[in-house]
Amino acid sequence: MLSLLRARRGATRVAFWRVIDWPLLGAAVLLSAFGLVTMYSFSDANAYFDHQLLWLAISLVIFLGASMADYRFLRQTVPVVALYGAVVAALLVVLVIGHVSNGAQSWFRLGTVAIQPADFTMLVLVIVLAKYFARRHIDIAQFRHVLISGLYAFIPFALIVLQPDLGSGIILASIWLGMVLVSGISKKHLFIVLAIGLVAALGMWQYGLHDYQKQRVLTFLHPLSDIQGSGYNAYQAVIAIGSGGLTGKGIGYGTQSKLKFLPEYQTDFIFAAFAEEWGLIGVLLMFALYGIIIWRVLALAYRGGSNFETLFAVGLACLFTSHFIVHVGINLGLLPVTGTTVPFMSYGGSHLVMEYLGLGMLMGMRRYARVTRPESIKEEFVPAPVL
């Protein structure tokens, strides 16, 4: 009987080596390699390169370990609540005793290692929202579910903005909005959500943002008003990207980064540093690799073993997509500077571990993915006639 039920559900278990989505993993590793090459060419002592190479090795080990696990336990309430409580507690603690860097109190410093809880909060929020909407996808038309899910996102959002880390806060809000839209929110409720978001943004402008953050927004609206001050970073990024031309200046010959005109080239502006060296051709290749990642993640969402696995994959796609759009938009001068990394490429261990952990969890979920099209199993949810 158990085997019959498994067959009807379209779930199957596959060998470990077949669990891995090799195009997805290959695209992610190649992007990480692009980041390493960029860091190597601009670092005299290669400290960024050496540290990031170690973090990449650790992340790949975590990816493989995560690929072996069974995540159906996350369909239960207790472990998900525990994860959510853990990241909220970590965000509270970091506000009290966290390490301050570049004006933000966002890290735990453990010797030479710095851990940023906000990165793991993004992945946990995906899990929480996937769990919440998986059980309520039919009732999502009730506005209270939109509000409750919004509260789950707002608590860590507020704690992260207080650090202050507006970039990570924007990513959290994007994850929530993307998953709400996929879950089937009505147009009326969508307009209400947008109105609430507008009111919240005005409130943040008045009471939540620091003066330098406001100045960044004003500089974005008037790009040439303060090139030597708040607009310097964005201006240098645009120069670096434009000077790359079609084929780039060549690896190690990016003058804006090499001569330190472009700040934070290994993190917040690594796209600009990469574009200067590789040119438009390299940028198009990078875009194609991100396209492969999003495509494969959504393809796995289509085959999810249940609503939870499908929504988890959709949330992961929202996480990567919002990170990519915000980072590239900032580097191109299309968005205000908020200080965000780009997945798999930027320097930093916390976000790299989180990203490969998310992919590893997705591979683990492939073990019991559907082998039939979702349309073919709709009959499972239709009550059998009473004889």
Side-chain angles (χ1 to χ4, degrees), residues 37-38 40-42 247-254 274 276-278:
V37 170
T38 304
Y40 184 85
S41 61
F42 292 131
T247 58
K249 295 180 178 179
I251 298 176
Y253 293 96
F274 176 84
E276 184 181 21
E277 289 193 337
W278 292 71

Side-chain angles (χ1 to χ4, degrees), residues 258-272:
K258 191 73 173 179
L259 299 177
K260 309 297 184 182
F261 289 109
L262 180 66
E264 305 297 335
Y265 61 82
Q266 77 281 4
T267 53
D268 300 348
F269 293 98
I270 196 168
F271 171 77

Side-chain angles (χ1 to χ4, degrees), residues 108-120:
F108 288 118
R109 174 68 70 177
L110 303 175
T112 59
V113 178
I115 300 175
Q116 189 171 13
D119 289 323
F120 298 99

Side-chain angles (χ1 to χ4, degrees), residues 121-291:
T121 301
M122 297 174 191
L123 184 59
V124 171
L125 181 64
V126 170
I127 296 171
V128 170
L129 294 179
K131 168 67 173 63
Y132 187 84
F133 290 132
R135 297 289 297 274
R136 297 168 177 85
H137 62 285
I138 297 177
D139 299 330
I140 191 62
Q142 300 180 20
F143 191 62
R144 65 186 180 91
H145 292 309
V146 178
L147 292 177
I148 293 172
S149 64
L151 180 62
Y152 286 138
F154 177 76
I155 293 174
F157 169 84
L159 293 174
I160 288 173
V161 170
L162 287 174
Q163 294 177 358
D165 182 1
L166 185 58
S168 295
I170 291 174
I171 303 303
L172 283 179
S174 301
I175 292 170
W176 173 78
L177 180 60
M179 295 187 71
V180 165
L181 292 175
V182 170
S183 298
I185 186 174
S186 67
K187 292 181 179 179
K188 178 181 70 175
H189 292 162
L190 176 59
F191 285 124
I192 295 175
V193 168
L194 294 177
I196 294 175
L198 179 60
V199 172
L202 293 175
M204 282 186 58
W205 176 266
Q206 189 67 30
Y207 303 106
L209 296 183
H210 292 254
D211 290 339
Y212 74 89
Q213 292 174 316
K214 294 180 180 180
Q215 187 59 45
R216 287 178 177 177
V217 176
L218 294 175
T219 302
F220 164 71
L221 297 175
H222 305 282
L224 301 180
S225 63
D226 191 15
I227 294 178
Q228 298 300 321
S230 59
Y232 177 82
N233 293 357
Y235 183 68
Q236 293 298 328
V238 172
I239 291 177
I241 294 171
S243 64
L246 179 63
T247 58
K249 295 180 178 179
I251 298 176
Y253 293 96
T255 55
Q256 295 301 114
S257 302
K258 191 73 173 179
L259 299 177
K260 309 297 184 182
F261 289 109
L262 180 66
E264 305 297 335
Y265 61 82
Q266 77 281 4
T267 53
D268 300 348
F269 293 98
I270 196 168
F271 171 77
F274 176 84
E276 184 181 21
E277 289 193 337
W278 292 71
L280 179 61
I281 294 176
V283 168
L284 292 177
L285 175 59
M286 186 184 77
F287 279 27
L289 292 174
Y290 279 112

Side-chain angles (χ1 to χ4, degrees), residues 1 13 32 43 84 94 112-113 202 207 233 238 274 295 330 353 365 368:
M1 177 62 72
R13 300 186 68 85
S32 296
S43 179
Y84 184 76
V94 82
T112 59
V113 178
L202 293 175
Y207 303 106
N233 293 357
V238 172
F274 176 84
W295 163 55
I330 290 171
V353 168
M365 293 174 186
Y368 46 93

